[in-house]
Amino acid sequence: MSQEKLAKEIVELVGGEKNVESLVHCATRLRFVLKDDAKADKAKLEKTEGIIAVKENGGQFQVVVGNKVPEVYSAIGQISNILDDSTDKEKPRKAAKGLGGIIDIISSIFAPLLGVMAGAGILKGLLLIASNIGWLETTETTYTILYAAADSLFYFLPLLLAVTTARKFQGNMFVAMTIAGALIYPSIVTLKSEGTPTDFFGIPVILMNYSSTVIPIILAVIVMSKLEKFFNKTLHDSVKNFVTPLFLLVIMVPLTLLVFGPFGVYVGNGIAAGLVAAFGFSPLLAGAVMGASWQLLVIFGIHWGLIPVFINNVAVYGQDGVKPAATASIFAQTGAAFGVMLKTKNKKLKTLAGSSTLTALFGITEPAIYGVTLPLKRPFIAGVIGGAVGGAIIGQAGTLAFASGAPGLLTLPIFYGPGGQGFPGLILGIVVSFVVSAALTYIMGFKDPVEEETKTESTVSAEQPARTTNASDEIVFSPIEGTIVELSEVPDPAFASGAMGKGIAIEPAVGRVVAPFDGTVTVAFKKKHALAVVSDTGAEILVHVGVDTVKLDGQHFVSHIKEGDRVQAGDLLLEFDIAQIKAAGYHTVTPIIVTNSANYEEVIPQATGQVSSQELLLKLSSGNGQEQK
């Protein structure tokens, strides 16, 4: 499915453009804030090709699409006005409260920066390695230029956070950036560095170093956005466009330097000191807890509460001792997915686990968690255990992070500090977490989710005597009225890949399946969603109504046959309720498969566009004689 098509489906299924209050994305997720969550069709979204999972956390409606999220996000911007700040927001949804509200705010503010933050963090880590092993001297201009590229994001972080915070709270982002700029303005920095006594109209100002800080500018912009709404309502339309920004600058810059700045810095330092103290008390225990719990925190979105702490530690102390243990959790779930790949006999799951393992190695764990380990349960538990073991090793080794970035293979350089102290412990910890999780997954096992329909349908040919003799040419009439769909477009790899056999698919307009030729019913599935018929001349046809409809357990289907029944072309075999199946969140596109297509030289579609029941649909050519008329 193209990104544009996927974007259109996502927008439609979240309730349409008018139901979207805001949208940001992180490394793998589209993070919607919806005006009414009830308007979103979560079940149908989860069944949509290209979507890994759908989660509701922290006041956000999160659609997990994997590492193609930037392209899908961009496509949404092209087909809608959702990313336009001028989008009508007169009726925003009620803000989430409590912990959910805090998580929503933090994730909305930081998620847009994660990509560039990871890139800058990797570059900073590589420069640390280069300088530590003598490849580059810190006095060289090459180092200076590259370090500026790596460090500018962190130095000017208040400016970037001003933009994302203003967008979250619907404030003027240019005024917000101006306030942030004032905090790191050269003359203000000079006052701080030289220790010059500073006051504002006689009120003492406690100057802080605001470059790389997080909390002060967030607090300032939140208050600014409230004041902006007040002034815009109070002032006359003829003057508010320039008087409101004037009032905001005059009020907010001094207020931030006097109150929000010092308060934010003290709070940030206090939280950081608490976590550092925990690791100082028992680094092994603290590391184990962090390694075991990080992916659990990610699932519930609570990890966003720690992101500012990691950034603050690096900004204030130049290093962070909390984040490294979380790396063990990443590699533990990677190992669990790898264990599933080794253990499963389900080809589809094996492919998914393999690709998820690869992406997880680079820090993108959502496909592995939501697509593999969490649904299977035991592999996820194995990952938690492996993460605890690896986290304990990393914590005890005293590994430190010297820059920001999502844990993964590419970001390992951010953990390499002076002399490489703690880095061997990190490598040992992530290797152990991977191996332990993979081994436990393999040993503990899991219920291999080979779907009943896959196991049963794949035996349709096996249950009949193999026809290795020359087959006759055959004509197959359409068993369904509807619209022709290419088999490759069916949202199920087992059919789309041709693994089940050659054929065609139909999007039904009428919920009736009739016999495609004279023959015998060989399989009538107990859950009524599919059937197989073999013609008198040996052609085997599988008709599978919808995708994953086996999960409906027979609901919305009425079967008129049993195995062994003789049927004539046009006889009614099965009825189904199209509307109810779609309302339950399932595709109704129906593959019509020649399960013994290997016995034919060609399987030739004969219809395009709309097709009626009993209209010529397929010709099966054996290459051994004349076609039957």
Side-chain angles (χ1 to χ4, degrees):
M1 183 183 296
S2 68
Q3 309 304 356
E4 182 176 341
K5 185 177 180 182
L6 179 58
K8 287 180 180 178
E9 290 206 26
I10 290 173
V11 171
E12 178 183 346
L13 294 175
V14 297
E17 183 175 339
K18 292 183 179 179
N19 194 41
V20 179
E21 182 182 343
S22 65
L23 170 63
V24 296
H25 76 83
C26 58
T28 58
R29 308 184 193 193
L30 295 167
R31 296 174 175 270
F32 289 91
V33 175
L34 303 179
K35 294 176 182 178
D36 184 358
D37 287 349
K39 292 182 178 179
D41 192 337
K42 183 178 179 181
K44 199 165 185 178
L45 273 167
E46 289 178 327
K47 298 295 182 184
T48 300
E49 180 187 359
I51 295 176
I52 297 168
V54 179
K55 302 294 175 183
E56 295 181 73
N57 286 324
Q60 293 182 334
F61 192 87
Q62 303 172 12
V63 181
V64 184
V65 296
N67 53 11
K68 62 186 176 184
V69 67
E71 291 82 4
V72 179
Y73 178 82
S74 177
I76 290 175
Q78 293 173 7
I79 65 166
S80 71
N81 294 317
I82 290 175
L83 305 185
D84 185 350
D85 288 329
S86 65
T87 301
D88 177 23
K89 295 182 173 63
E90 291 182 1
K91 295 181 180 180
R93 62 170 278 154
K94 187 176 181 181
K97 295 181 179 180
L99 180 60
I102 295 172
I103 292 171
D104 173 36
I105 291 171
I106 295 175
S107 61
S108 297
I109 290 171
F110 285 94
L113 304 179
L114 291 184
V116 65
M117 193 172 286
I122 293 169
L123 179 55
K124 203 169 186 179
L126 291 173
L127 288 173
L128 284 170
I129 293 176
S131 62
N132 286 335
I133 64 179
W135 287 355
L136 271 178
E137 295 294 332
T138 56
T139 55
E140 294 182 50
T141 54
T142 299
Y143 180 92
T144 301
I145 292 171
L146 290 175
Y147 192 82
D151 194 53
S152 62
L153 177 142
F154 303 101
Y155 184 87
F156 294 107
L157 188 59
L159 287 166
L160 301 177
L161 293 176
V163 173
T164 56
T165 307
R167 185 165 187 170
K168 171 63 180 175
F169 288 91
Q170 300 171 26
N172 188 315
M173 65 177 65
F174 299 106
V175 175
M177 290 178 67
T178 304
I179 294 170
L183 299 181
I184 54 178
Y185 193 71
S187 60
I188 300 295
V189 173
T190 300
L191 289 176
K192 163 64 178 174
S193 61
E194 294 181 352
T196 305
T198 307
D199 67 83
F200 182 74
F201 288 116
I203 304 174
V205 176
I206 302 174
L207 290 176
M208 315 292 288
N209 181 7
Y210 293 110
S211 63
S212 303
T213 56
V214 171
I215 299 177
I217 191 59
I218 292 176
L219 294 176
V221 174
I222 291 173
V223 174
M224 181 213 81
S225 67
K226 306 297 183 184
L227 286 176
E228 181 182 0
K229 291 178 176 63
F230 169 76
F231 287 132
N232 282 338
K233 289 181 180 179
T234 305
L235 296 173
H236 192 272
D237 288 346
S238 61
V239 298
K240 68 179 183 180
N241 285 341
F242 52 88
V243 175
T244 294
L246 169 65
F247 285 172
L248 293 176
L249 292 175
V250 171
I251 295 172
M252 290 309 305
V253 171
L255 189 60
T256 302
L257 291 172
L258 285 166
V259 180
F260 301 131
F263 174 78
V265 171
Y266 289 140
V267 168
N269 290 351
I271 296 173
L275 287 173
V276 170
F279 271 79
F281 173 74
S282 176
L284 187 144
L285 178 61
V289 171
M290 179 64 74
S293 64
W294 180 252
Q295 289 300 327
L296 289 169
L297 299 180
V298 169
I299 289 173
F300 292 103
I302 302 173
H303 70 298
W304 286 105
L306 292 175
I307 298 294
V309 176
F310 298 159
I311 297 172
N312 186 82
N313 283 349
V314 174
V316 175
Y317 303 111
Q319 60 192 33
D320 170 56
V322 181
K323 181 178 182 175
T327 308
S329 184
I330 302 291
F331 284 89
Q333 290 299 326
T334 306
F338 182 71
V340 170
M341 184 190 75
L342 295 178
K343 183 82 170 179
T344 183
K345 295 180 180 178
N346 183 317
K347 292 181 180 179
K348 184 177 178 181
L349 179 59
K350 187 179 288 288
T351 300
L352 176 61
S355 62
S356 299
T357 298
L358 183 61
T359 56
L361 285 171
F362 296 96
I364 308 299
T365 56
E366 276 86 349
I369 293 174
Y370 296 123
V372 181
T373 64
L374 195 58
L376 298 178
K377 298 181 178 62
R378 288 183 183 177
F380 185 81
I381 295 172
V384 171
I385 296 171
V389 177
I393 293 172
I394 293 171
Q396 189 63 37
T399 306
L400 300 171
F402 297 90
S404 297
L409 282 181
L410 289 178
T411 53
L412 291 182
I414 71 175
F415 302 103
Y416 190 94
Q421 182 178 359
F423 191 72
L426 174 81
I427 300 301
L428 177 61
I430 63 177
V431 169
V432 168
S433 64
F434 182 95
V435 172
V436 167
S437 300
L440 283 177
T441 297
Y442 198 90
I443 294 168
M444 292 166 57
F446 48 86
K447 185 176 180 180
D448 205 0
V450 180
E451 295 181 1
E452 178 183 342
E453 60 175 308
T454 302
K455 289 193 291 186
T456 310
E457 288 159 5
S458 64
T459 64
V460 170
S461 299
E463 292 175 358
Q464 299 299 317
R467 291 174 172 83
T468 56
T469 59
N470 291 339
S472 300
D473 292 339
E474 185 74 72
I475 292 175
V476 179
F477 296 103
S478 178
I480 294 177
E481 178 180 341
T483 305
I484 296 294
V485 177
E486 291 289 336
L487 195 61
S488 60
E489 295 297 317
V490 174
D492 186 324
F495 294 114
S497 66
M500 297 291 295
K502 298 178 182 178
I504 202 164
I506 297 176
E507 181 62 54
V510 179
R512 288 166 52 90
V513 178
V514 300
F517 39 51
D518 296 347
T520 303
V521 176
T522 55
V523 177
F525 288 91
K526 293 180 180 179
K527 298 189 178 180
K528 307 174 186 178
H529 64 294
L531 57 91
V533 184
V534 61
S535 75
D536 293 337
T537 52
E540 300 171 356
I541 299 296
L542 169 70
V543 180
H544 187 289
V545 180
V547 175
D548 286 337
T549 46
V550 64
K551 297 177 182 177
L552 289 172
D553 202 24
Q555 293 184 66
H556 316 310
F557 292 93
V558 177
S559 177
H560 296 281
I561 54 167
K562 61 182 183 296
E563 291 181 6
D565 282 355
R566 282 284 304 167
V567 294
Q568 301 295 316
D571 285 354
L572 179 61
L573 308 180
L574 178 69
E575 291 181 288
F576 56 96
D577 191 322
I578 297 173
Q580 290 294 332
I581 293 172
K582 287 184 175 180
Y586 295 89
H587 292 284
T588 55
V589 62
T590 299
I592 299 160
I593 305 296
V594 182
T595 54
N596 65 336
S597 55
N599 292 351
Y600 295 91
E601 188 174 279
E602 291 183 284
V603 175
I604 310 167
Q606 299 296 301
T608 57
Q610 300 297 314
V611 63
S612 300
S613 175
Q614 286 298 283
E615 183 179 337
L616 182 59
L617 184 68
L618 298 171
K619 284 186 177 181
L620 313 183
S621 173
S622 65
N624 295 317
Q626 299 297 317
E627 294 176 353
Q628 290 182 346
K629 302 295 184 183

